[in-house]
Amino acid sequence: MTASPIAAATVNFNPETRLFIDGQLRDASTGRTADNINPATEEVLGIAADAGAEDMDAAIAAARHAFDSTDWSTNREFRQHCLMQLHEALQQEKEEMRAELVAEAGAPLGMTYIAQLDWPLADAIRWPAEHISEFAWERQLGEDAKMGVPYNRMVVKEAMGVVGAITPWNFPVEIVANKVGQILATGNTMVLKPAIETPWSVLRWGRIIAEKTDIPPGVVNIVTAADNNVAQRLLTDPRIDMISFTGSTAVGELIQQLTAPTMKRNLLELGGKSVYLLLDDVDLAATVPGCIGALMHSGQGCALTTRMLVPRKYYDEAVEIATATFGGVPVGDPADPANFCGPLVSAKQRDRVLGYIQVAKEQGARVTVGGGAPAGLDRGFFVAPTVLADVRPDHRVFQEEIFGPVITITPYDGGDDGAVEMANNSTYGLAGTVLGSYERAMAVARRIRTGSVNVNGGIFYAADAPFGGYKMSGIGRQNGVEGFEQHLQTKVIAYTTD
């Protein structure tokens, strides 16, 4: 690992700091603001509006009114027009968004050219907008005559209503884009509550919608708030029909409880402990270094493969290669394109990760590289890329999501059956990677209980690919045709033509 000191900030930002409610950009009704902290320097970048209960209630009322009193839910051609306007407008502000992501999320610059920014901006809005024209909004069933009178039947797909979207800080543009695209394309209105740690990357959307699209007032509302009680109003308010949440499993469980009295539909994309699984016919030198993917955005990603499983006969060599790989990763200023690893988002997150490393050591795991703050970085929320060897399935770091630049390595016995058994030894089931000869790797991938699997270098990610998990990794799917339908109600109409 190499670390370099953080240079003084040179970017002049033009952020949007206001809420977006009922078509208007406005400050919080209380006048409160929250500091936006640069996690690489611990310095204040600026402020963002910190909403209160009154602001959230106004946003919910605006979304409800827009759904109930306009033709947004039924005018598919107009929705498509508005979404394509939004898609084009986002492309025009891509570089400003890139700079904000690096500064407030600590996203390494190189990551913004893939999943942090460029990949979602390419298709997260465009694909669902185009799918409006392709989707079967109505279909005819066969004729029936159960009471002796013939009649026809049809299935109709309709918008769910008002969707409350709650998004995290790790991939703010990517996650918001994939929620906004599908929620709006299916005819819903929405209240978006993004994480207060990365407010600018999302509040900018309000200004873009207001100034560069024909999206009617109230269809999209954006409310940043530091108080979790403000967000919880989305979960209990009967005017909200659905919750779309990306975040931790613990919060997902709370959402299930709080939404039960109003029977809201929940789309929950939650935690993961995904495997990087090597079969016994792989080339170790060619495949083990791919474990560096666990360090994307310093390990702050739910689908990252942070649990390496290797055949026992290759274990020592795999640990050696992984240790050398992680030890050579450059860490430091996320604005420097030479750095692969940046900071964690906050002091709280840094301390959480360091705490897990300590627990791992107490339970018998071995730190082969990293394990603490990088030398030479005396400010910022950094943790050095860390390899934990000798990790057993009963260790907490094998089972629990660390959400930092840490990978565990565990040997397995029993060939492919043993690999599958250990891969499935998890309460999570979000994603995974399998490496081996094609037919064996594909067979193993089909047996792993996860929502997505990459085999031998394939990448599942795209707006047309449904994403979500098995078990404690969530409920439902976002993106793709399956995600599109997730945001719709189904109605059957039986009728005669007389």
Side-chain angles (χ1 to χ4, degrees):
M1 183 208 73
T2 59
S4 56
I6 309 299
T10 59
V11 178
N12 293 318
F13 296 101
N14 180 30
E16 181 52 61
T17 64
R18 296 168 290 180
L19 311 175
F20 183 56
I21 299 175
D22 204 13
Q24 300 295 315
L25 295 163
R26 67 192 218 190
D27 295 327
S29 58
T30 62
R32 288 198 305 264
T33 60
D35 288 341
N36 192 8
I37 306 295
N38 183 328
T41 65
E42 305 183 43
E43 296 173 352
V44 176
L45 289 164
I47 61 167
D50 183 4
E54 182 180 335
D55 301 304
M56 182 60 79
D57 286 346
I60 294 171
R64 186 78 258 170
H65 182 265
F67 185 82
D68 292 340
S69 65
T70 75
D71 68 348
W72 177 258
S73 66
T74 57
N75 192 336
R76 298 196 287 268
E77 183 176 349
F78 178 61
R79 293 204 306 271
Q80 191 172 56
H81 157 76
C82 290
L83 283 169
M84 291 309 298
Q85 284 182 320
L86 178 58
H87 169 76
E88 294 299 331
L90 289 167
Q91 312 312 309
Q92 296 168 15
E93 302 201 13
K94 182 189 293 185
E95 297 313 312
E96 290 86 349
M97 298 172 80
R98 194 184 313 282
E100 288 174 352
L101 277 169
V102 171
E104 68 175 1
L109 181 62
M111 297 300 104
T112 69
Y113 289 95
I114 51 175
Q116 275 285 9
L117 183 65
D118 283 14
W119 287 357
L121 248 56
D123 64 2
I125 304 297
R126 177 184 56 79
W127 187 88
E130 293 174 347
H131 195 64
I132 292 172
S133 299
E134 302 167 4
F135 185 72
W137 295 94
E138 298 179 1
R139 77 175 191 273
Q140 292 291 329
L141 301 177
E143 187 178 274
D144 206 347
K146 283 191 168 60
M147 298 295 291
V149 178
Y151 52 86
N152 298 299
R153 296 168 300 149
M154 66 187 301
V155 177
V156 179
K157 297 291 186 178
E158 299 179 341
M160 184 68 58
V162 180
V163 179
I166 303 173
T167 60
W169 42 259
N170 57 332
F171 283 75
V173 172
E174 189 274 336
I175 294 169
V176 165
N178 283 302
K179 289 194 187 298
V180 169
Q182 294 225 341
I183 290 170
L184 298 189
T186 45
N188 301 287
T189 61
M190 66 184 298
V191 179
L192 171 60
K193 192 279 172 188
I196 197 66
E197 290 87 349
T198 52
W200 292 353
S201 295
V202 185
L203 290 173
R204 176 178 289 273
W205 287 65
R207 186 168 69 197
I208 291 173
I209 290 170
E211 297 178 354
K212 298 184 178 181
T213 79
D214 296 322
I215 295 175
V219 168
V220 179
N221 304 272
I222 305 174
V223 181
T224 47
D227 185 352
N228 287 333
N229 290 321
V230 174
Q232 286 187 16
R233 300 180 83 85
L234 291 171
L235 311 180
T236 56
D237 196 305
R239 294 171 293 180
I240 299 291
D241 300 292
M242 174 179 173
I243 295 295
S244 177
F245 170 76
T246 297
S248 73
T249 295
V251 176
E253 293 175 5
L254 178 64
I255 289 172
Q256 289 279 77
Q257 296 169 14
L258 294 181
T259 57
T262 51
M263 288 295 172
K264 302 186 196 307
R265 179 179 295 183
N266 289 331
L267 193 166
L268 306 176
E269 193 273 283
L270 308 176
K273 193 69 180 180
S274 303
V275 292
Y276 190 77
L277 175 56
L278 279 62
L279 303 185
D280 61 16
D281 58 2
V282 298
D283 178 343
L284 286 188
T287 55
V288 173
C291 68
I292 196 174
L295 297 179
M296 179 182 289
H297 196 27
S298 294
Q300 298 171 115
C302 54
L304 299 181
T305 50
T306 57
R307 192 167 48 116
M308 184 190 293
L309 307 180
V310 299
R312 188 173 297 276
K313 65 181 179 180
Y314 296 149
Y315 178 69
D316 290 340
E317 186 178 355
V319 170
E320 182 180 348
I321 296 172
T323 299
T325 300
F326 271 45
V329 171
V331 180
D333 186 353
D336 183 345
N339 289 324
F340 188 82
C341 250
L344 299 179
V345 76
S346 65
K348 177 182 178 181
Q349 188 63 21
R350 176 197 59 199
D351 294 345
R352 167 191 164 91
V353 172
L354 292 175
Y356 266 110
I357 294 171
Q358 181 60 35
V359 167
K361 291 190 291 185
E362 291 171 357
Q363 291 191 313
R366 174 167 52 99
V367 176
T368 66
V369 68
L377 291 173
D378 57 0
R379 56 178 173 159
F381 309 127
F382 291 92
V383 173
T386 300
V387 173
L388 296 176
D390 304 344
V391 172
R392 301 192 311 265
D394 62 337
H395 286 174
R396 284 182 59 190
V397 292
F398 186 94
Q399 296 290 345
E400 298 178 19
E401 189 174 39
I402 299 173
F403 229 61
V406 181
I407 194 167
T408 66
I409 307 182
T410 304
Y412 67 86
D413 302 297
D416 293 358
D417 289 343
V420 170
E421 181 181 1
M422 189 168 285
N424 288 335
N425 184 353
S426 174
T427 59
Y428 293 112
L430 188 58
T433 290
V434 180
L435 300 164
S437 59
Y438 170 73
E439 290 189 1
R440 286 179 60 189
M442 287 296 289
V444 167
R446 291 180 183 276
R447 296 170 64 191
I448 295 176
R449 293 184 55 75
T450 63
S452 304
V453 186
N454 293 330
V455 174
N456 292 337
I459 299 175
F460 65 77
Y461 178 87
D464 62 354
F467 180 65
Y470 291 23
K471 299 185 280 187
M472 298 300 284
S473 285
I475 296 173
R477 294 296 182 269
Q478 185 167 282
N479 290 354
V481 175
E482 292 78 5
F484 203 87
E485 291 191 328
Q486 194 84 33
H487 299 86
L488 295 169
Q489 287 281 22
T490 300
K491 177 183 291 181
V492 177
I493 301 175
Y495 61 96
T496 67
T497 57
D498 296 337

